[in-house]
Amino acid sequence: MLYIHENNINGKINQTRDSSGRRVNGYKNLRVELETFKAQYYLPFRDRIESLIFDEDHIESFETAAQEFNTYYQNLVDFSDRHGVRSQSKFESTFLEEISSYLFKNLPQIQNETFGIFNKGIYAGLKIDSNNHIAVIKKDVDFCIGKKANITIDNQPSTELILPVVAVEVKTYLDATMFGEIKSSSKSIRSASPNSRTYVLMGYRDLADEHIIAARQDSALTEMFALRQGFNSPILSTVLLEYWKEIKNAVESVSVDDLVPSTGRLLNP
């Protein structure tokens, strides 16, 4: 499992210097408070979520998960407000990134290790470097289901690649500036791995309708999901289920991409 939110909490607990180089006892001298938050809220929440099974036979899990996500997120926001935790520290946003790790833990392809869960070093193409060698372009994403592979290029040492099946960018909210950056990143990933699918998972949308309408004609993104209607709205279980079904189908489609029917729809059967 990829516990990006726990890593963020641990990083804050273990921080010894601030951005100015001054010694601190955890982020903003909050080591004790952060340790208490982790023990009192995060770890019990994670245990409850990991006890759920996410598949077609346990649809009720998505409703339970939405309730758990909303309760924990409110505790997270309350802690941030009380102690002045800045949004730039990704204390809240990494929680949204971690949601996908829970939702897809029961996919057969994850459990049997056909694919893995990653967020760093995703294959995004090749380039010729300053030494005239072929170099691999890698990108970090917020959530990826993919497969590791080792390749050798130009008699250079073997390089490990993470070939994406699904790549997801996660945002607390999405505005026009972020949207442009995401489309550019997603386009490079899909160009390098043509059978990959790229998504945006956002807390809520802060983006004009015309941007969404235009994106429907753009191949950079496969789909976008907004978990909430607005800043103060709860995460909806219906969106969690819809998102889960989309990613599940994307992972399953990899094994049938090379099957072409003899009649009917040929490109998107």
Side-chain angles (χ1 to χ4, degrees):
M1 288 284 284
L2 188 63
Y3 297 118
I4 188 66
H5 183 51
E6 182 185 26
N7 292 341
N8 183 276
I9 295 173
N10 290 340
K12 287 178 169 53
I13 291 172
N14 297 323
Q15 186 174 336
T16 58
R17 293 187 183 276
D18 65 14
S19 58
S20 301
R22 292 171 296 193
R23 293 190 64 83
V24 291
N25 185 28
Y27 175 84
K28 289 194 170 186
N29 293 309
L30 293 171
R31 176 171 293 171
V32 173
E33 291 85 350
L34 286 160
E35 288 175 337
T36 301
F37 179 86
K38 179 180 177 181
Q40 185 175 351
Y41 294 107
Y42 173 73
L43 292 177
F45 153 78
R46 190 174 80 183
D47 288 343
R48 292 191 297 271
I49 288 294
E50 291 193 322
S51 70
L52 299 175
I53 298 174
F54 295 101
D55 62 20
E56 292 93 339
D57 297 326
H58 298 83
I59 298 300
E60 71 281 357
S61 291
F62 295 91
E63 178 63 40
T64 303
Q67 295 171 5
E68 290 285 353
F69 291 155
N70 285 316
T71 299
Y72 177 75
Y73 191 68
Q74 188 58 57
N75 289 327
L76 195 62
V77 171
D78 290 346
F79 183 93
S80 295
D81 291 344
R82 189 163 60 250
H83 296 290
V85 179
R86 294 183 301 175
S87 60
Q88 293 91 331
S89 71
K90 297 189 175 182
F91 189 52
E92 296 169 27
S93 63
T94 51
F95 163 64
L96 295 179
E97 294 176 30
E98 196 167 285
I99 281 178
S100 293
S101 290
Y102 300 127
L103 290 178
F104 304 114
K105 65 184 177 64
N106 298 119
L107 290 182
Q109 296 88 345
I110 297 297
Q111 293 193 323
N112 65 22
E113 298 183 349
T114 299
F115 299 126
I117 293 176
F118 310 95
N119 68 344
K120 295 185 181 298
I122 310 306
Y123 175 65
L126 300 172
K127 67 178 181 179
I128 298 177
D129 65 19
S130 58
N131 296 316
N132 293 324
H133 293 150
I134 297 177
V136 176
I137 302 171
K138 299 181 180 180
K139 285 186 174 292
D140 294 346
V141 300
D142 295 322
F143 178 81
C144 171
I145 295 176
K147 190 176 183 66
K148 287 184 178 180
N150 289 294
I151 65 167
T152 301
I153 304 173
D154 262 0
N155 297 317
Q156 298 177 64
S158 178
T159 299
E160 183 180 80
L161 300 180
I162 296 173
L163 300 174
V165 174
V166 165
V168 183
E169 291 291 345
V170 182
K171 298 295 180 183
T172 305
Y173 67 93
L174 185 68
D175 62 18
T177 300
M178 299 176 193
F179 190 39
E181 295 170 354
I182 286 173
K183 287 196 295 182
S184 176
S185 175
S186 298
K187 187 170 294 185
S188 65
I189 288 175
R190 295 198 75 177
S191 295
S193 301
N195 69 335
S196 65
R197 301 188 184 185
T198 52
Y199 298 89
V200 180
L201 181 69
M202 69 193 84
Y204 64 95
R205 172 168 71 96
D206 189 16
L207 193 67
D209 289 354
E210 52 262 32
H211 292 288
I212 305 297
I213 294 169
R216 292 172 179 169
Q217 311 304 320
D218 191 330
S219 62
L221 288 167
T222 305
E223 188 54 275
M224 303 166 65
F225 292 89
L227 293 168
R228 302 183 288 159
Q229 291 183 334
F231 177 74
N232 292 316
S233 301
I235 291 172
L236 299 175
S237 61
T238 51
V239 179
L240 292 177
L241 179 58
E242 192 174 13
Y243 173 56
W244 178 84
K245 286 181 177 178
E246 171 67 29
I247 301 302
K248 171 182 174 290
N249 290 337
V251 171
E252 290 179 342
S253 73
V254 173
S255 61
V256 297
D257 272 350
D258 57 351
L259 300 179
V260 180
S262 57
T263 60
R265 295 165 62 100
L266 302 184
L267 294 182
N268 299 287

